Amino acid sequence: MVDESVLRTVGLGKTYADFWGRPRVKALSDLSLDVRSGEVFGLLGPNGSGKTTTIKLLLGLLKATTGDAFVFGGDPRDLTVKHRIGYLPEETYLYKFLDAEETLRFYGRLFSLSKDVLDERIDSLIKQVGLDHARKQRMGEYSKGMARRLGLAQALINDPDLVILDEPTSGLDPLGTAEVKELIIDLKKRGKTVLLCSHLLADVEDVCDRIAIVHGGVLKEIGRVDDLLTSTQQTTITLRNPDEQTVDAVRAAAGEQLVEIDHPRERLEAHFRRIVSGEPTPQQQEQAEDTSA
């Protein structure tokens, strides 16, 4: 059987030591994840929860204290593995004296791309991230949102199989945010795997297939977004412009006015706050009620 895991961690842990090598901060503890090929996976958690440490371990920038991390079934530090990854860090660090084309050409050469391939890819990516009007403008003159867009193009210059995005919509206006979400969905359609870290939970909810919530370096919850946020013991019926009589008789006489019957869904932001605060989720409350019944 072929292993379809793109990212896999087994009991992964990281403890930072002080100058004398003494354990100081346990940033991550016993993290086990399995990110599959072609899915958009959200890694969520408040500041200091271990998200950035996890990303650095998956990129081979840090060495784990305990456990193992595998990318495409191999060592994250392997150069052949790194060539298949595109990464957008939380802060955009680009050379201020280069313009958009020069920036992408510089990073493309790091992957030994041919001139013809690079020319075509640079033109396509600049248009894709909405910077065609500023392709000859130097980075030092870019706004934060424009720099973020170019950073996203840089992360895609090698046409990676795995794209790791850390706060990709940071600094973007609502239109730019919507465009990034459309780009993530397009990457999924093209068979790419996306690991998305974001504080904007509505964005994660819109594009992710599955999510993991990490708090205090510990995995608190993992699963499909719909499964985690949907309450199956209640049903919502949506009607198109119903009058009072229709509402009263909805179960018997909804007819063509019936638009949708579905289970109510908790917003990810509310669910996230419950998990972090230790408050039981609706699903956990329902399970407790079923057990006690």
Side-chain angles (χ1 to χ4, degrees):
M1 180 177 178
V2 177
D3 185 4
E4 295 187 351
S5 297
V6 171
L7 295 175
R8 186 163 62 91
T9 67
V10 182
L12 193 64
K14 178 62 180 178
T15 300
Y16 292 101
D18 61 17
F19 179 79
W20 292 274
R22 297 174 301 190
R24 183 169 55 89
V25 177
K26 181 176 283 189
L28 199 64
S29 178
D30 196 29
L31 178 67
S32 294
L33 294 176
D34 187 8
V35 180
R36 301 156 194 161
S37 177
E39 74 172 339
V40 181
F41 190 93
L43 184 60
L44 311 180
N47 291 331
S49 62
K51 302 191 305 299
T52 299
T53 296
T54 301
I55 289 176
K56 288 181 177 180
L57 289 167
L58 292 172
L59 291 171
L61 301 177
L62 289 177
K63 184 178 180 180
T65 306
T66 59
D68 295 291
F70 303 93
V71 181
F72 298 112
D75 189 333
R77 294 169 293 183
D78 190 327
L79 287 180
T80 59
V81 170
K82 290 180 181 291
H83 270 254
R84 300 178 65 186
I85 300 174
Y87 173 49
L88 176 67
E90 184 174 0
E91 296 292 335
T92 306
Y93 299 104
L94 300 172
Y95 294 106
K96 296 185 182 298
F97 54 86
L98 298 180
D99 62 29
E101 291 184 353
E102 292 168 338
T103 296
L104 295 182
R105 191 170 303 280
F106 171 78
Y107 285 101
R109 285 173 176 169
L110 296 178
F111 291 98
S112 300
L113 299 177
S114 69
K115 183 180 183 302
D116 290 342
V117 170
L118 197 49
D119 287 343
E120 180 181 353
R121 201 165 291 174
I122 287 172
D123 184 62
S124 174
L125 286 172
I126 286 177
K127 292 177 180 177
Q128 195 171 10
V129 298
L131 289 176
D132 195 30
H133 66 287
R135 61 169 62 220
K136 293 296 185 180
Q137 188 174 336
R138 297 197 180 278
M139 277 294 306
E141 301 170 355
Y142 271 28
S143 66
K144 181 178 180 181
M146 293 170 68
R148 202 66 181 152
R149 289 170 182 263
L150 186 58
L152 185 57
Q154 173 266 313
L156 301 175
I157 192 64
N158 58 320
D159 191 25
D161 297 312
L162 168 65
V163 185
I164 300 177
L165 304 175
D166 195 354
E167 302 293 343
T169 58
S170 175
L172 296 179
D173 57 23
L175 179 60
T177 297
E179 290 172 349
V180 169
K181 289 193 286 188
E182 290 174 0
L183 177 58
I184 292 173
I185 293 172
D186 180 64
L187 289 170
K188 174 180 168 63
K189 289 179 180 178
R190 291 165 52 198
K192 308 296 185 182
T193 304
V194 180
L195 176 64
L196 172 64
C197 293
S198 178
H199 290 102
L200 301 178
L201 303 182
D203 295 346
V204 174
E205 188 173 355
D206 288 341
V207 301
C208 287
D209 300 303
R210 291 192 301 142
I211 59 171
I213 296 177
V214 181
H215 182 50
V218 178
L219 179 64
K220 294 293 186 179
E221 189 172 48
I222 186 171
R224 293 191 60 82
V225 175
D226 285 340
D227 294 341
L228 297 178
L229 304 183
T230 299
S231 174
T232 59
Q233 293 190 357
Q234 300 179 50
T235 300
T236 300
I237 299 177
T238 303
L239 300 178
R240 185 181 293 109
N241 299 321
D243 53 29
E244 292 185 7
Q245 184 178 3
T246 301
V247 173
D248 293 338
V250 62
R251 291 187 179 278
E256 292 183 357
Q257 287 182 305
L258 185 62
V259 175
E260 181 182 24
I261 297 179
D262 205 350
H263 300 293
R265 197 167 181 266
E266 184 183 29
R267 293 296 297 178
L268 180 56
E269 183 172 357
H271 190 80
F272 176 83
R273 288 177 176 175
R274 289 179 187 271
I275 293 297
V276 171
S277 66
E279 191 179 338
T281 66
Q283 291 85 352
Q284 292 169 338
Q285 291 174 345
E286 292 170 359
Q287 291 172 2
E289 290 172 0
D290 290 343
T291 304
S292 60

